[in-house]
Amino acid sequence: MNYSTLIFNSMPYNRTGILNNQVYYVGVGGSHQGWIKCLSKNDYHELKHIDLWYNVSSNFKECKYFYHTRDNIIKKLDINTFQISTFPGHHFPKYKWEDILCYHNLLTKQYEVFNSKGEKVLEFKYHHPIIAKFISSGILIYQNNEKENNWIKCLNPDGGDEIWKVEFSWQFVRLETFDNLIILEYHAFDKIRTDKGHAGERDWYNPDRYTIVLNGDTGEEIWRYSNSYHHIDYENEAVLIGNIKSFLPNGKIEKLSVVELDIYNGNVLTEIEVKPPIERIPDLHFVDGVGIYYTSHDGSFGKINKADGAILWEFDLVDNKGEKRKISDWLLLGNGNLVLQTLPNHPNGDFTCIFNPIENMEYSNVIDGVRLNA
């Protein structure tokens, strides 16, 4: 198996639309050293590098802020020039609206919001189970730690007034934001058990699962789909879902379809039955113009043809000691190669590599819809 191992073992942080420049940024920070690299989205070669010691960071469209808890210096990295500026203090920038800026006070651990005149218009601090996120519409706060009676609020950063609130009978177990959308994985515990000894009891173990997308400005539901999503491909603005129709007696999947939805309106972009079925539980990650990329529960990774559902290829990543390695993270480059990061804490060591599927077709478990090891 052919691949090139990278000298660093970290993945890009700008894959959610916050830093949408046509490059990737990866970084490592620790007690003794740290750095940020600017890498090409086409082939991952290093464009820029800067040494930087940090353990706290935040993302803005044109810059990134850093801080280390052992000093009192906040550092600002200009994404365009890749230059660092520093300034003292304990107000760490977290989010910017048009004329309002939110800071995290590193001393009091509170969020403090200031207007363009430098006047403090809001301060807040939430403890578990309340969680806070920031979107262009305002400050999201939500509670989702119980299986019943959860909620989301959006607050005006200029004073903290409630803009909207949505209450949920059941539990959303994931909340992600993109642009001004709120994407939820929602579990509804409506089922009543009929099995012996538990008839009439609520089934708390097998919920109906949904993907729900809300409008961040109003809290209104835009669309929903009757299954939970796997991943959001932020770059291609797609939500990916796998529908397992049936299993074989040996526990392998008998019938599976994959679905690609437009993140903004829920329109179906792709819906196709996979041939042959991915044998173990799949996880759909991202797409290109031809296919949908997946990993499976047993550690394989592959690509499904959107046109006919055929698996174009499927590989097991094998290290230099001949052991199969599971992938913890990966991404698709502009030149068609993949960046693969192995699951950490393996006895053979951790690594990140660049993998060319075309050059490794002789090692594929599946070629154009035919499983070779069947």
Side-chain angles (χ1 to χ4, degrees):
M1 177 164 280
N2 305 308
Y3 53 81
S4 56
T5 303
L6 301 175
I7 60 173
F8 55 90
N9 188 35
S10 63
M11 297 291 282
Y13 52 72
N14 59 313
R15 285 179 282 171
T16 62
I18 299 171
L19 292 171
N20 53 8
N21 302 59
Q22 296 304 307
V23 289
Y24 282 130
Y25 300 98
V26 301
V28 167
S31 299
H32 304 292
Q33 62 182 1
W35 47 260
I36 297 291
K37 293 181 184 291
C38 174
L39 306 172
S40 165
K41 278 189 176 181
N42 184 61
D43 60 10
Y44 222 55
H45 78 271
E46 184 176 312
L47 301 172
K48 298 175 183 176
H49 171 102
I50 191 165
D51 293 320
L52 189 66
W53 192 40
Y54 68 96
N55 58 11
V56 179
S57 65
S58 64
N59 294 325
F60 288 73
K61 286 187 176 181
E62 300 297 332
C63 64
K64 186 172 174 68
Y65 289 91
F66 301 90
Y67 182 84
H68 199 288
T69 50
R70 291 177 58 179
D71 60 32
N72 293 313
I73 300 174
I74 296 172
K75 306 175 181 71
K76 176 183 177 180
L77 173 65
D78 186 301
I79 293 302
N80 297 311
T81 65
F82 227 61
Q83 298 295 312
I84 288 284
S85 56
T86 63
F87 50 96
H90 53 268
H91 282 92
F92 189 74
K94 290 295 292 184
Y95 194 88
K96 187 178 188 305
W97 293 273
E98 184 175 353
D99 56 357
I100 297 176
L101 186 59
C102 178
Y103 297 89
H104 187 228
N105 188 315
L106 298 167
L107 299 180
T108 65
K109 308 303 181 185
Q110 291 196 124
Y111 290 104
E112 299 179 2
V113 183
F114 294 83
N115 62 21
S116 58
K117 299 178 181 179
E119 301 167 334
K120 186 188 293 186
V121 294
L122 179 65
E123 65 179 18
F124 61 96
K125 182 178 183 179
Y126 293 103
H127 299 280
H128 180 80
I130 308 300
I131 300 172
K133 281 181 177 283
F134 305 102
I135 61 174
S136 60
S137 299
I139 301 167
L140 290 183
I141 60 170
Y142 60 93
Q143 176 179 301
N144 70 327
N145 64 311
E146 300 290 344
K147 291 185 176 181
E148 297 179 275
N149 302 321
N150 296 284
W151 50 265
I152 306 172
K153 291 180 183 180
C154 183
L155 306 181
N156 186 340
D158 190 1
D161 291 339
E162 183 179 301
I163 300 173
W164 55 260
K165 179 179 181 180
V166 178
E167 296 181 337
F168 297 87
S169 299
W170 308 112
Q171 185 178 32
F172 55 95
V173 298
R174 268 193 293 174
L175 184 153
E176 298 186 64
T177 60
F178 173 74
D179 202 353
N180 207 35
L181 303 175
I182 302 166
I183 304 98
L184 307 175
E185 179 185 344
Y186 184 63
H187 290 185
F189 298 91
D190 293 305
K191 296 177 184 174
I192 302 298
R193 296 174 64 171
T194 58
D195 50 315
K196 186 177 180 179
H198 298 281
E201 296 178 7
R202 190 168 300 282
D203 189 345
W204 295 110
Y205 304 99
N206 298 287
D208 293 316
R209 300 167 187 265
Y210 299 91
T211 299
I212 299 175
V213 175
L214 306 180
N215 183 322
D217 290 329
T218 64
E220 295 176 346
E221 181 176 315
I222 301 173
W223 62 268
R224 73 166 56 197
Y225 186 89
S226 295
N227 200 353
S228 53
Y229 69 97
H230 290 193
H231 287 277
I232 300 169
D233 183 336
Y234 291 100
E235 190 159 350
N236 292 289
E237 301 176 348
V239 179
L240 302 174
I241 296 172
N243 294 318
I244 298 174
K245 304 297 181 65
S246 59
F247 287 92
L248 295 169
N250 62 5
K252 293 182 179 180
I253 294 173
E254 180 181 38
K255 192 173 182 180
L256 164 74
S257 66
V258 294
V259 182
E260 176 191 7
L261 303 175
D262 185 304
I263 193 170
Y264 290 103
N265 53 35
N267 289 345
V268 176
L269 305 175
T270 304
E271 185 169 14
I272 197 79
E273 184 178 338
V274 181
K275 298 171 290 188
I278 302 165
E279 294 186 335
R280 299 298 180 185
I281 302 296
D283 199 7
L284 310 177
H285 290 260
F286 44 81
V287 303
D288 61 17
V290 174
I292 299 174
Y293 293 76
Y294 69 89
T295 56
S296 65
H297 186 67
D298 62 357
S300 302
F301 61 98
K303 181 179 182 179
I304 302 161
N305 191 332
K306 290 183 184 182
D308 60 8
I311 296 178
L312 297 172
W313 46 256
E314 181 185 270
F315 296 100
D316 299 329
L317 181 63
V318 179
D319 66 20
N320 56 11
K321 295 184 179 180
E323 289 197 45
K324 179 178 177 177
R325 303 296 295 273
K326 288 189 175 183
I327 297 170
S328 62
D329 196 5
W330 63 325
L331 62 89
L332 175 66
L333 297 175
N335 62 7
N337 290 343
L338 298 165
V339 181
L340 309 175
Q341 183 182 53
T342 59
L343 204 64
N345 303 317
H346 192 278
N348 294 352
D350 310 330
F351 66 92
T352 300
C353 66
I354 296 179
F355 181 91
N356 185 322
I358 303 304
E359 292 179 357
N360 283 280
M361 287 303 292
E362 63 182 291
Y363 302 103
S364 180
N365 303 323
V366 183
I367 297 179
D368 294 331
V370 179
R371 188 168 293 280
L372 305 180
N373 58 358

